[in-house]
């Protein structure tokens, strides 16, 4: 049996709205588990809570209710520098909005986690990775001067350069062309075969159909857990009327 890496139990998330007296419930009692080496996808319509769930699962956003266990720890119980180190060294997060540092060149963005951890930066390795993912811009250019797709590749490379045990990828190919998307997907798949748990948020049914397990979300609720999904099964699951 492979080791369980994520255990999410009855996670709900509400955010304050308006004057703060009212709140909006974005996630409703979501539970799921995932193990090392698994390639898990989360699919659902826009606004169904995919990004919120990914943030809650990964230790970035504390749920209002419920429990999260990640690599055997409660990420919301870690304090100060332990939180920063845990995120930097164990977890890789590819943000839907990239979260790059605009005032730094692409190269520096990519190696920032390594530098913060005091690790040696192997320049050739970075350049090899950039070549592998078809990054054709100049790595010395500021990220603010790059196209959306190039920025997305920088955000991906930043995570791939670390030895994260869990990678959360929030629509990581949303800005990419078909060829680049396939390269990224294949890289994520390779990492999962090496034991990394990959959690991929996507609205691409064809892509989700190539993962090991798909979870469908609707209106913040987990609808189905589909083992070895096919495009047809996913299509039907997503087009059923919510109960
Ligand atoms: N901080 C927030 N304040 C208010 N509403 C939010 C906040 N974060 C997310 N939402 C709302 O919650 C819903 C789910 O958002 P999100 O998790 O980003 O969905 P998805 O990634 O599936 O598109 C959306 O309707 C979004 O507008
Ligand atoms: Mg999202």
């Amino acid at each position: 049996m492979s080791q369980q890496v994520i255990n999410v139990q009855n996670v709900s998330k509400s955010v304050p709205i308006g004057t703060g007296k009212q709140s909006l419930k974005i996630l409703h009692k979501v539970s799921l588990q995932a193990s090392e080496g698994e390639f898990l996808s989360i699919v659902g319509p826009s606004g169904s809570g995919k990004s919120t769930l990914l943030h809650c699962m990964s230790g970035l956003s504390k749920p209002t209710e419920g429990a999260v266990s990640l690599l055997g720890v409660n990420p919301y119980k870690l304090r100060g520098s332990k939180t920063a180190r845990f995120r930097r060294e164990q977890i890789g997060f590819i943000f839907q909005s990239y979260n790059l540092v605009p005032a730094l060149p692409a190269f520096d963005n990519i190696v920032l986690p390594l530098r913060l951890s005091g690790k040696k930066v192997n320049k050739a390795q970075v350049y090899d990775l950039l070549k592998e993912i078809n990054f054709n811009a100049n790595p010395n250019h500021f990220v603010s001067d790059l196209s959306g797709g190039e920025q997305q590749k920088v955000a991906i490379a930043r995570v791939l350069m670390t030895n994260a045990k869990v990678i959360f990828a929030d629509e990581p190919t949303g800005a990419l062309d078909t060829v680049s998307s396939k390269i990224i997907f294949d890289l994520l798949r390779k990492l999962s075969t090496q034991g990394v748990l990959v959690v991929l948020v996507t609205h691409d049914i064809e892509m989700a159909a190539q993962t090991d397990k798909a979870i469908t979300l609707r209106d913040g609720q987990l609808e189905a857990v589909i083992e070895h999904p096919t495009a047809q099964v996913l299509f039907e699951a997503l087009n059923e009327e919510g109960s």
Side-chain angles (χ1 to χ4, degrees):
M1 269 299 278
S2 48
Q3 193 79 24
Q4 189 179 80
V5 174
I6 292 181
N7 190 3
V8 169
Q9 291 287 343
N10 289 316
V11 158
S12 298
K13 176 83 181 177
S14 301
V15 291
I17 48 168
T19 54
K21 289 222 166 90
Q22 285 175 306
S23 66
L24 174 73
K25 204 163 189 184
I26 305 176
L27 290 176
H28 309 258
K29 291 194 175 293
V30 175
S31 298
L32 62 91
Q33 288 78 37
S35 303
E36 63 181 14
E38 196 167 17
F39 199 160
L40 172 73
S41 54
I42 300 176
V43 290
S46 179
S48 57
K50 303 182 297 297
S51 294
T52 306
L53 175 60
L54 209 62
H55 288 193
C56 286
M57 286 167 80
S58 60
L60 293 180
S61 175
K62 193 172 192 272
T64 319
E65 290 167 63
V68 174
S69 166
L70 177 57
L71 290 163
V73 302
N74 175 347
Y76 300 105
K77 285 262 165 75
L78 296 172
R79 289 288 164 260
S81 61
K82 278 196 177 153
T83 311
R85 194 190 303 160
F86 180 73
R87 283 184 190 162
R88 203 168 58 226
E89 294 176 3
Q90 315 266 3
I91 309 295
F93 202 107
I94 303 170
F95 291 91
Q96 187 168 16
S97 50
Y98 317 145
N99 277 23
L100 300 172
V101 184
L104 285 179
F107 182 90
D108 297 74
N109 267 278
I110 293 165
V111 301
L112 192 59
L114 300 177
R115 284 191 176 141
L116 289 171
S117 299
K119 295 201 175 120
K120 207 169 171 291
V121 171
N122 182 338
K123 199 171 170 184
Q125 199 187 343
V126 177
Y127 276 75
D128 285 349
L129 174 63
L130 287 175
K131 198 167 169 203
E132 192 176 357
I133 64 174
N134 251 344
F135 179 87
N136 295 316
N138 185 336
N140 297 317
H141 283 177
F142 291 104
V143 289
S144 50
D145 294 333
L146 302 177
S147 73
E150 287 158 355
Q151 290 186 31
Q152 188 153 45
K153 286 179 182 176
V154 172
I156 292 166
R158 179 174 61 181
V159 165
L160 295 181
M161 280 304 295
T162 67
N163 288 319
K165 295 183 183 136
V166 192
I167 293 182
F168 297 95
D170 196 352
E171 308 211 18
T173 61
L176 303 185
D177 58 88
T178 320
V179 172
S180 295
S181 295
K182 179 161 171 20
I183 291 171
I184 299 305
F185 184 87
D186 290 348
L187 274 171
L188 293 174
R189 167 54 82 191
K190 190 167 98 188
L191 287 169
S192 82
T193 62
Q194 292 168 354
V196 174
L197 165 61
V198 180
V199 185
L200 170 77
V201 165
T202 180
H203 56 245
D204 184 335
I205 287 180
E206 300 289 338
M207 200 173 263
Q210 296 172 61
T211 63
D212 302 329
K213 184 164 90 182
I215 279 168
T216 63
L217 274 188
R218 189 192 299 269
D219 298 333
Q221 282 180 311
L222 191 148
E223 273 208 325
V225 179
I226 305 166
E227 303 275 351
H228 311 296
T230 63
Q232 182 64 30
V233 167
L234 282 169
F235 183 80
E236 283 164 11
L238 290 169
N239 281 286
E240 269 167 22
E241 279 300 309
S243 52

